[in-house]
Amino acid sequence: MNEVPETEQRCGFVAVVGAPNAGKSTLVNALVGTKVSIVSPKVQTTRFRVMGIAMVGEAQVVLVDTPGIFAPKKRLERAMVAAAWGGTNDADHICLLIDAAKGYDDESRAIVDKLKETKRQAILVLNKVDLVKRDKLLGLTAQLDAEGIFTDVFMISALKGDGIADLLAHLGKLVAPGPWMFPEDQVSDLPQRLLAAEITREKAFLALYQELPYSLHVETEKWEEKDDGSARIDQVIYVERESQKPIVLGKAGRQIKSIGAAARQELEELLERRVHLFIHIKVREDWSEKRGHYSEIGLDFDS
């Protein structure tokens, strides 16, 4: 077989799948080199597929960050899991991310079983290896390798960046010859308005997940480019009940101000310009049961 010239363009889709909170979004952000997917210590933060675009020489690796795969109970959860499996079906290659500190738990085992059922192979990526002793790590690797579906094994710490360069180089060689799907300087398929909403949702999640674990939704209602080069962004945080509004506001409005300040700071860093961020809180009863909400973020209401 002839080797592909180094100067020839290559492109492919790589789905990053795993149990909730395995570190998928952190890994995708690390591989891309900038933030394209929100991160939270709470499970099931990623609600829909997000594509991060990484360049490796002449290779464009399109990384599909998927929601965590788990046993769903509610409509939103079923749609999230369907989106995750849809990401694997559409991808050329799959990275299965497993939290090495948790080991080979039931959620990861269910994903492996599903991959076997669909006759898909995957790259095994063991994350958080810095938290695990070597003998336990070797035992975990042998246990997973015995499943017979993994083509390669990488040991990384997505948070610290350890092993990321080797994994990215491998993915760059793995994708097939073909034209790039996105411009060279594009890092995500998310429109700016949606990315801005996701960043605010992340900050609200970090501040409020103990009180309102999954009751928040954020929309960017207006984006105005100002003459001085700055941007005015108007957003709405939706909650499901009137009683939840005071929780988001906080005493004397301190909570919402804190969320807004954190979101604005990150938006300014990402956009590299000044941002005027205005956030309002509204009640949208049972938004997680509204068909229109699902279509807005690319989820299948009927999953």
Side-chain angles (χ1 to χ4, degrees):
M1 184 180 292
N2 294 328
E3 289 189 1
V4 178
E6 287 297 316
T7 55
E8 185 175 346
Q9 285 191 352
R10 300 190 300 283
C11 185
F13 289 81
V14 179
V16 179
V17 300
N21 225 18
K24 297 178 297 299
S25 296
T26 303
L27 173 57
V28 169
N29 290 340
L31 289 167
V32 174
T34 190
K35 188 165 195 168
V36 296
S37 194
I38 69 171
V39 177
S40 161
K42 193 73 174 175
V43 300
Q44 302 156 26
T45 305
T46 301
R47 285 182 177 156
F48 51 90
R49 283 181 286 177
V50 178
M51 290 184 187
I53 302 140
M55 297 300 302
V56 193
E58 291 298 306
Q60 186 175 77
V61 180
V62 184
L63 299 146
V64 185
D65 180 20
T66 62
I69 296 173
F70 58 103
K73 296 177 182 178
K74 299 179 180 179
R75 182 186 294 277
L76 180 59
E77 294 174 348
R78 291 196 298 272
M80 288 160 56
V81 172
W85 283 118
T88 66
N89 295 337
D90 298 338
D92 303 304
H93 305 281
I94 299 169
C95 285
L96 173 57
L97 191 66
I98 288 181
D99 182 341
K102 286 185 178 178
Y104 194 20
D105 59 12
D106 290 343
E107 288 178 326
S108 295
R109 196 179 299 275
I111 297 170
V112 168
D113 289 344
K114 180 76 170 182
L115 291 173
K116 284 182 177 180
E117 182 184 318
T118 55
K119 295 181 169 56
R120 293 298 301 270
Q121 291 186 305
I123 300 163
L124 174 61
V125 183
L126 294 175
N127 191 24
K128 308 178 187 178
V129 296
D130 53 313
L131 305 178
V132 181
K133 291 183 178 179
R134 180 177 174 80
D135 57 345
K136 182 181 176 182
L137 194 58
L138 292 174
L140 176 61
T141 304
Q143 183 184 14
L144 286 157
D145 190 51
E147 295 288 0
I149 65 166
F150 297 111
T151 58
D152 303 273
V153 179
F154 287 86
M155 299 185 185
I156 69 162
S157 169
L159 188 61
K160 294 185 175 181
D162 298 339
I164 297 298
D166 289 342
L167 176 57
L168 184 56
H170 178 73
L171 296 176
K173 293 174 183 176
L174 202 60
V175 295
W180 296 340
M181 298 291 293
F182 299 93
E184 185 175 4
D185 59 351
Q186 186 171 337
V187 296
S188 174
D189 68 329
L190 279 187
Q192 280 191 331
R193 292 170 72 102
L194 186 52
L195 179 58
E198 281 293 275
I199 286 171
T200 300
R201 183 166 72 91
E202 177 192 64
K203 304 311 176 191
F205 219 107
L206 290 170
L208 299 165
Y209 73 79
Q210 290 181 324
E211 293 95 338
L212 300 174
Y214 302 110
S215 299
L216 293 174
H217 173 59
V218 181
E219 290 182 10
T220 300
E221 284 200 325
K222 185 178 179 183
W223 186 302
E224 181 184 354
E225 299 291 343
K226 309 294 284 186
D227 292 339
D228 62 0
S230 64
R232 175 186 169 122
I233 302 172
D234 290 82
Q235 295 180 330
V236 176
I237 294 178
Y238 287 103
V239 294
E240 293 189 301
R241 294 187 298 276
E242 192 70 36
S243 61
Q244 294 170 339
K245 283 178 69 174
I247 300 173
V248 182
L249 276 169
K251 189 174 182 179
R254 291 194 196 100
Q255 188 70 272
I256 190 66
K257 287 178 183 176
S258 176
I259 292 168
R264 180 182 53 77
Q265 181 179 344
E266 185 154 322
L267 283 167
E268 288 185 336
E269 291 172 2
L270 278 172
L271 299 173
E272 297 181 334
R273 55 189 167 131
R274 193 176 178 194
V275 170
H276 311 277
L277 181 62
F278 298 87
I279 302 175
H280 306 280
I281 307 167
K282 294 182 181 179
V283 178
R284 182 185 280 177
E285 290 188 8
D286 299 324
W287 61 260
S288 60
E289 292 296 322
K290 305 290 186 184
R291 183 179 292 274
H293 167 69
Y294 285 70
S295 60
E296 286 171 7
I297 60 176
L299 290 178
D300 183 1
F301 181 80
D302 298 312
S303 296

